[in-house]
């Protein structure tokens, strides 16, 4: 079985540019999560979806961040405009039934 | 609100020695508890989980963890570590109305001394 697939794996962008991170969850999973990992703040839950509907976005840091899930097999996390402090590893994860989540390999974002 | 505390930021043990990584949680109801491992440059991999039943759970790679409700703890153990166990270990708790909101601790980095 294919796991959670994220793209791009690595991205370097200039401050002010728009960044779009993509995720394909495991087929059949009904929950999708976006996490951000930094040295300073550890692993933070940004937002999660159930059946394509956002359930809790309280972890989204500010209005520059937005996430969508237009269908069961695709989600995006967008940062516009990006800032250097957004540099982090962004993980997408999915689960069936809401627990035991499976992670993708992450998108390593550097904003210069 | 639910939370997870991993009090040890970094632990070093000798290869072949036993290991215990500590995890304490805060949650009003019976939690779902997890341990994940992250190797450098990789995503997180599930080691084991506790939902109910036997409080001693076995996981992959020879790891086990014990749920102690009285201590609000879910410590991870391994009787004999291998050099390949060097990684970051995360404890997590699932909470929320459907136990779907999964909160992670800050992690413990494990180094292995040859």
């Amino acid at each position: 079985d294919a796991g959670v697939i994220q793209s791009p794996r690595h991205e370097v962008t200039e401050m002010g540019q728009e960044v779009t991170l993509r995720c394909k969850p495991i087929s059949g999973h009904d929950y999708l999560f976006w996490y951000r990992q930094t040295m300073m703040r550890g692993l933070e839950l940004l937002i999660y979806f159930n059946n394509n509907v956002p359930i809790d976005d309280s972890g989204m840091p500010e209005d520059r961040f937005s996430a969508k899930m237009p269908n069961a097999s695709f989600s995006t996390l967008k940062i516009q405009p990006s800032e250097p402090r957004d540099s982090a590893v962004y993980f997408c994860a999915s689960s069936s039934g809401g627990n035991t989540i499976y992670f993708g390999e992450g998108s390593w974002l550097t904003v210069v | 609100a639910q939370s997870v505390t991993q009090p040890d930021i970094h632990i070093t043990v000798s290869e072949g020695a036993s290991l215990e990584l500590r995890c304490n949680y805060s949650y009003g109801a019976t939690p779902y508890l997890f341990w994940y491992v992250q190797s450098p440059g990789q995503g997180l991999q599930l080691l084991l989980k506790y939902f109910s039943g036997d409080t001693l759970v076995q996981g992959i790679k020879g790891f086990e963890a014990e749920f102690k409700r009285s201590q609000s703890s879910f410590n991870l153990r391994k009787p004999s570590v291998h050099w390949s166990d060097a990684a970051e270990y995360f404890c997590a708790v699932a909470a929320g109305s459907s136990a779907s909101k999964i909160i992670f601790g800050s992690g413990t980095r494990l180094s292995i001394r040859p």
Side-chain angles (χ1 to χ4, degrees):
Chain A
D1 284 340
V4 176
I5 300 173
Q6 293 187 244
S7 65
R9 287 296 314 277
H10 299 270
E11 177 147 351
V12 180
T13 190
E14 292 185 346
M15 182 174 62
Q17 296 298 305
E18 178 179 292
V19 173
T20 299
L21 308 178
R22 298 173 179 80
C23 175
K24 177 179 170 56
I26 294 172
S27 178
H29 281 190
D30 56 346
Y31 282 83
L32 184 139
F33 306 80
W34 282 101
Y35 286 86
R36 178 174 69 176
Q37 186 177 37
T38 61
M39 288 291 292
M40 292 298 295
R41 301 174 69 90
L43 200 59
E44 304 172 275
L45 176 63
L46 300 178
I47 184 171
Y48 74 95
F49 297 82
N50 176 217
N51 292 323
N52 314 337
V53 176
I55 302 301
D56 186 340
D57 65 354
S58 59
M60 296 286 263
E62 48 196 278
D63 291 345
R64 296 185 297 107
F65 286 69
S66 62
K68 294 182 179 180
M69 192 166 185
N71 58 63
S73 60
F74 184 66
S75 176
T76 60
L77 178 67
K78 187 173 294 186
I79 309 172
Q80 167 62 22
S82 58
E83 297 182 2
R85 59 193 170 117
D86 301 330
S87 298
V89 184
Y90 291 82
F91 287 104
C92 178
S94 70
S95 73
S96 176
N99 46 56
T100 314
I101 60 177
Y102 297 89
F103 282 80
E105 294 193 334
S107 292
W108 299 68
L109 174 65
T110 302
V111 183
V112 297
Chain B
Q2 65 276 7
S3 65
V4 179
T5 302
Q6 293 180 250
D8 303 307
I9 296 173
H10 183 205
I11 285 181
T12 300
V13 300
S14 298
E15 190 168 16
S18 63
L19 170 71
E20 182 168 26
L21 302 182
R22 295 183 292 166
C23 172
N24 292 94
Y25 67 90
S26 172
Y27 183 56
T30 300
Y32 293 173
L33 295 161
F34 308 83
W35 276 99
Y36 283 81
V37 60
Q38 184 181 31
S39 297
Q42 301 295 315
L44 280 74
Q45 180 186 20
L46 179 68
L47 281 176
L48 48 79
K49 60 187 178 185
Y50 170 78
F51 286 176
S52 64
D54 193 348
T55 57
L56 183 64
V57 294
Q58 303 297 320
I60 62 172
K61 305 184 180 185
F63 286 92
E64 66 178 27
E66 186 170 12
F67 170 57
K68 292 186 177 180
R69 185 188 302 275
S70 62
Q71 299 177 19
S72 297
S73 69
F74 188 58
N75 294 350
L76 181 71
R77 301 194 294 248
K78 186 170 184 177
S80 176
V81 298
H82 186 262
W83 64 266
S84 60
D85 293 325
E88 187 98 16
Y89 291 80
F90 293 90
C91 183
V93 60
S97 59
S98 60
S100 55
K101 185 171 182 176
I102 299 177
I103 304 300
F104 285 82
S106 55
T108 297
R109 183 161 64 93
L110 175 64
S111 298
I112 306 297
R113 190 184 302 117

